Amino acid sequence: MSLSLEDLDRITHIFLPYTELKTREVTSSGGRFVYYTTAETATSILRNKQFWMRNTAAMNDYLEVEHGFECLNASYASSPGIALNAALNTCFSDLAVEVQDFFYEWLPSIRRDTYITCMSEHLRSEDQHGRLSMWRAYGERTGVALVLNGAVMVRKSTEPVLNIFSSPVAYLNPEDFGAEVEKIANNIVTEVDYIKSLGRETVKQTVFQMLRFAVLCTKHPGFHEEKEWRVIASPVMHPSQHANFAVEVIRGTPQEVLRVDLKNHPGLVGLALPELLDRIIIGPCQFPNMVGAAFRRLLQEVGVPEAEKKIIISDIPLRQP
């Protein structure tokens, strides 16, 4: 079935209410995201005009993904899962079992074939200093924050160009996860006639993706300060001609990464550096002015206009090791 942008909005409202809420919030706060990293990694991203996506199995995020699976399993074994399955079966006979079987068929691939890049929502109040907790977690001795214009992150499209998707992270314990599942079950009951009009296969695929993003983007509530969004690629499930595999050594460990070029494509603008980059915040370090001058020169080399206006030296108080 061919879906319109209006269909996508309504489907998001029914099946992804948390995504709908967070998209509205991030848009109202300026629509920007930020990537906290080391100066070395930031230099590589800008110089190569490319970002890397890492397999979750090689990242700390692996355990966070397992938290999502645990929350889903707990919900399915209790009243929220019962309510969701009943609502799905109201739409189409035995759809709940079909969705569950389909999900578990793909589960091994979800575990081993998911590549992500993590970003945070960027608030206007953080324009000059960044976020102290993120400098502590990701800045190391010389931290840099790449602040990005986020239109490309929240863009809706009936025909994805990259086959790479973004989603907000939900910071939930199993009980709160169950409450979200019940909310979706109620939405399905309310919209049952519309959902039937979409057709069984479209609904099956929609619910499957809902479950996939739920497990990949649910973290322990203790991480809530990160305000994280995840950029997600699954090359087996959703092949992309714009993401290429390469072997890179990261902190001493050789591993496959997906490399994505920072450039525009027909039907997708805003990914190229001049449009994408809002500012660079130089984090607490021993030589902030020297680092700032280096990034100013680097921006000029890669063709970013008015480079000097994009460099901000953070004076946030953080003791360096």
Side-chain angles (χ1 to χ4, degrees):
M1 176 182 178
S2 178
L3 299 175
S4 66
L5 290 177
E6 290 75 16
D7 286 321
L8 293 182
D9 284 339
R10 194 165 180 181
I11 288 170
T12 300
H13 176 75
I14 297 168
F15 294 99
L16 299 167
Y18 183 80
T19 296
E20 180 185 50
L21 172 65
K22 295 304 293 183
T23 300
R24 186 164 58 244
E25 288 180 353
V26 78
T27 301
S28 66
S29 66
R32 292 174 298 165
F33 296 87
V34 58
Y35 183 59
Y36 285 89
T37 187
T38 64
E40 181 180 2
T41 298
T43 297
S44 175
I45 291 171
L46 296 173
R47 179 169 286 155
N48 298 313
K49 298 182 181 180
Q50 186 179 82
F51 71 91
W52 297 351
M53 306 183 71
R54 298 178 61 196
N55 193 294
T56 54
M59 303 175 65
N60 293 335
D61 298 272
Y62 174 74
L63 294 178
E64 297 163 6
V65 169
E66 288 302 306
H67 176 74
F69 282 116
E70 292 170 3
C71 288
L72 179 65
N73 288 334
S75 291
Y76 256 79
S78 56
S79 59
I82 294 171
L84 176 63
N85 288 337
L88 292 175
N89 289 335
T90 300
C91 299
F92 299 99
S93 176
D94 298 324
L95 178 61
V97 172
E98 186 176 347
V99 167
Q100 188 170 337
D101 289 347
F102 188 62
F103 179 79
Y104 280 104
E105 177 184 339
W106 275 100
L107 183 56
S109 179
I110 294 172
R111 288 182 182 274
R112 68 172 179 262
D113 184 55
T114 297
Y115 292 77
I116 67 172
T117 294
C118 303
M119 300 182 189
S120 290
E121 298 174 22
H122 183 74
L123 308 179
R124 293 186 181 95
S125 60
E126 297 168 337
D127 274 351
Q128 297 300 314
H129 312 296
R131 192 178 311 155
L132 180 58
S133 61
M134 298 299 284
W135 291 129
R136 285 172 169 161
Y138 299 103
E140 299 184 8
R141 294 180 64 86
T142 307
V144 168
L146 302 178
V147 181
L148 309 174
N149 295 310
V152 72
M153 289 274 288
V154 297
R155 168 183 176 271
K156 297 186 182 76
S157 175
T158 58
E159 297 182 6
V161 175
L162 299 181
N163 262 352
I164 295 173
F165 307 93
S166 63
S167 174
V169 167
Y171 299 94
L172 305 172
N173 57 35
E175 292 75 20
D176 292 334
F177 188 101
E180 290 295 316
V181 172
E182 287 188 334
K183 182 187 301 181
I184 293 166
N186 292 333
N187 289 346
I188 293 171
V189 171
T190 300
E191 295 275 15
V192 63
D193 291 336
Y194 171 72
I195 293 171
K196 286 180 178 180
S197 74
L198 296 173
R200 186 184 187 102
E201 184 61 24
T202 295
V203 176
K204 183 183 83 170
Q205 293 290 339
T206 298
V207 178
F208 167 74
Q209 296 297 345
M210 176 192 79
L211 298 176
R212 183 169 76 99
F213 281 98
V215 299
L216 292 175
C217 298
T218 298
K219 292 177 69 170
H220 190 280
F223 294 101
H224 72 278
E225 284 187 357
E226 294 180 350
K227 300 181 182 296
E228 184 180 338
W229 282 58
R230 289 183 168 173
V231 181
I232 301 172
S234 300
V236 172
M237 187 183 302
H238 298 295
S240 173
Q241 61 180 325
H242 302 297
N244 302 305
F245 279 108
V247 174
E248 302 287 351
V249 179
I250 300 175
R251 294 185 177 88
T253 302
Q255 55 195 268
E256 279 191 320
V257 301
L258 278 178
R259 299 191 301 194
V260 181
D261 291 332
L262 295 175
K263 65 179 184 180
N264 295 329
H265 303 274
L268 177 64
V269 296
L271 191 58
L273 270 180
E275 303 103 308
L276 181 65
L277 186 66
D278 176 79
R279 65 186 58 210
I280 297 177
I281 306 176
I282 308 301
C285 61
Q286 188 174 3
F287 306 108
N289 291 322
M290 183 175 69
V291 174
F295 274 93
R296 189 157 46 245
R297 173 73 65 181
L298 181 57
L299 291 186
Q300 291 169 350
E301 290 177 358
V302 299
V304 175
E306 299 184 307
E308 67 282 356
K309 295 182 179 180
K310 292 186 178 292
I311 305 298
I312 307 296
I313 306 296
S314 172
D315 61 356
I316 197 168
L318 174 63
R319 295 184 182 91
Q320 293 299 313

